[in-house]
Each structure stands twice: as structure tokens, then as C-alpha cells.
Amino acid sequence: MRYLTFALAKGRLAAESLKMFEKAGIPCEEMKDKNSRKLIFTNEEQKVRFFLAKASDVPTYVEYGAADVGVVGKDTVLEEGRKLYEVLDLGMGRCRMCVCGPKEAREYLKHHEMIRVATKYPAIAKDYFYNKKHQTVEIIKLNGSVELAPIVGLAEVIVDIVETGSTLRENGLEVLEEVCPLSARMVVNQVSMKRENQRITQVIQRMKQLVQG
Ligand code: PRP
């Protein structure tokens, strides 16, 4: 039996997704050792292995089949636009992708003005403004702390993730429009879905039962 390989997005989702896999009957004891420098963790008994990767790389590993299954945020799935199957909403990490800015920016949006939009998610922002709103904007790619952009005058608005809304509040910004809801998704390589159908379907079913409680 070949190994079934799982790629998990590092950070907030990793610990929670591991807990879910454990509850679903796929524990990985090796991964719990915080001092380990290993990058890949194996459950020999079940012939599965897990690795952690930067979130934006998870869809790449899955598309190329280096991982059969991935767990990553819907934001990353949308932004990366990779060829893969999105099979399950895991219900964790719920938040929203929003257009945010100072309240004065509402007018620019209303009148479809040519504004600058700063974001870590240029593909999502482009799709929203060009295809959904039919508004021409200039998109400026940033790599983090995007809320700074409207404060220092780099852009009129941002497209970013809003979870509790406290980053916005503390910086005098607000949600102006909602782009889409987000949460963690389970994604599967398209060839693996056929070749390892039985094993992968079983994992999906077990995870689905957990999600549905
Ligand atoms: C995310 C997002 C917002 C913040 C939203 O940033 O980009 O900045 O969390 O959360 P809140 O609504 O609960 O305040 P992250 O912490 O991932 O870091 P980043 O600024 O480097 O993107």
C-alpha cells in the first residue's frame, strides 16, 4: 500500500486540522513532538504521512500530486486557482474576505471611481472588482499588515480577511463590502481521487461526520 500524503497549512489551521484527523481515526503521534525538526511525519500503521507547508504552497503540492490531500483556507484556494477538487468545508477558521477602508471610501465605491486597492490577494481582488463589480481599479500587491495601506495613503481601500474586526476597529477602518465567506477546506489531487478513491472517500466521510457533529 502506498502512503497517503496530507499537506496541512502551517499556522492557525494546522493544530486544529490535526485534531480533526485524530478524531477521524488518523492520529499522527510523531507530529506532536514540538522539539522535532522533522518536516514530514508518518503513521506507519495506516500508511499515511503529514507535512506542514506555507498555506499558499498547499494547493501547489496537491495539484502536482506531491500531496494527495490538503487542508487550507478558502482564501488560498481562490487566490492560487490550482487544479484540484475542493471536497469539504471543514467549518473551522471561519472569517470573511472584505473590502475595507475608512468610511469616506464608501463614496469611491459607490461611484465606481478609479481607486487603488492594496491586498495580499490580487487574484481575488481582481475577480471581485473586474468581474463582479465591473469597476476598474489599480491593484497593489502587499505581503502583510495590509491595513496600513489606507492609513498612510498607499491605497483608498484594501481587500483583506476580517475575523473579529478588531484590527480594523483599532485602525479606524471598517468593512465596506463583503467579497465572500471563508473557512478551511479539504482539497484533493484529481488523479489521487481516482487512484485512491476508497481510502480518500473514507477520510472525507469521517471528516464530514465530524463537521456535521
Ligand atoms: C489577518 C488579516 C487581518 C487580521 C484580521 O492578518 O490580514 O489583518 O488577520 O483579523 P481580525 O479581524 O480578528 O482583527 P494576519 O494576522 O494573518 O497577518 P498579516 O497582517 O500579516 O496578514
Side-chain angles (χ1 to χ4, degrees), residues 18-195:
L18 270 179
K19 266 189 234 154
M20 278 190 87
F21 282 113
E22 184 162 17
K23 280 191 203 153
I26 317 165
C28 192
E29 292 304 321
E30 244 194 6
M31 214 161 183
K32 291 181 183 165
D33 178 4
K34 296 264 186 301
N35 299 317
S36 174
R37 309 281 293 178
K38 279 178 85 168
L39 295 172
I40 187 148
F41 305 90
T42 313
N43 175 333
E44 288 296 347
E45 209 178 300
Q46 301 192 13
K47 285 275 180 248
V48 297
R49 43 185 203 169
F50 291 89
F51 66 85
L52 295 177
K54 195 172 156 71
S56 52
D57 292 337
V58 168
T60 313
Y61 283 107
V62 174
E63 179 183 299
Y64 284 91
D68 301 288
V69 177
V71 173
V72 68
K74 177 71 177 176
D75 51 323
T76 309
V77 174
L78 289 170
E79 184 62 27
E80 295 301 312
R82 292 282 177 181
K83 276 180 77 178
L84 36 78
Y85 295 132
E86 186 186 315
V87 295
L88 186 63
D89 182 344
L90 294 170
M92 57 184 179
R94 284 199 189 284
C95 52
R96 300 182 293 157
M97 185 66 74
C98 297
V99 180
C100 312
K103 62 174 181 305
E104 303 79 62
R106 274 187 200 283
E107 289 300 306
Y108 305 136
L109 293 172
K110 206 163 106 191
H111 302 296
H112 280 54
E113 286 185 38
M114 173 72 194
I115 50 172
R116 287 182 296 192
V117 180
T119 186
K120 280 206 290 191
Y121 303 93
I124 295 175
K126 193 172 165 199
D127 179 62
Y128 180 71
F129 279 100
Y130 283 70
N131 300 334
K132 294 211 181 78
K133 295 204 46 161
H134 307 291
Q135 178 173 0
T136 308
V137 296
E138 182 181 347
I139 291 164
I140 302 173
K141 161 88 200 257
L142 288 179
N143 296 297
S145 303
V146 177
E147 290 84 356
L148 265 176
I151 300 172
V152 297
L154 175 67
E156 283 74 25
V157 299
I158 61 174
V159 167
D160 201 17
I161 292 173
V162 180
E163 196 180 350
T164 60
S166 52
T167 311
L168 292 178
R169 269 192 303 280
E170 287 181 30
N171 291 289
L173 306 172
E174 54 188 61
V175 171
L176 304 172
E177 290 174 0
E178 180 173 322
V179 177
C180 61
L182 303 170
S183 56
R185 304 298 158 100
M186 192 159 136
V187 294
V188 177
N189 171 270
Q190 297 189 338
V191 177
S192 306
M193 196 68 205
K194 293 195 187 73
R195 259 209 314 236

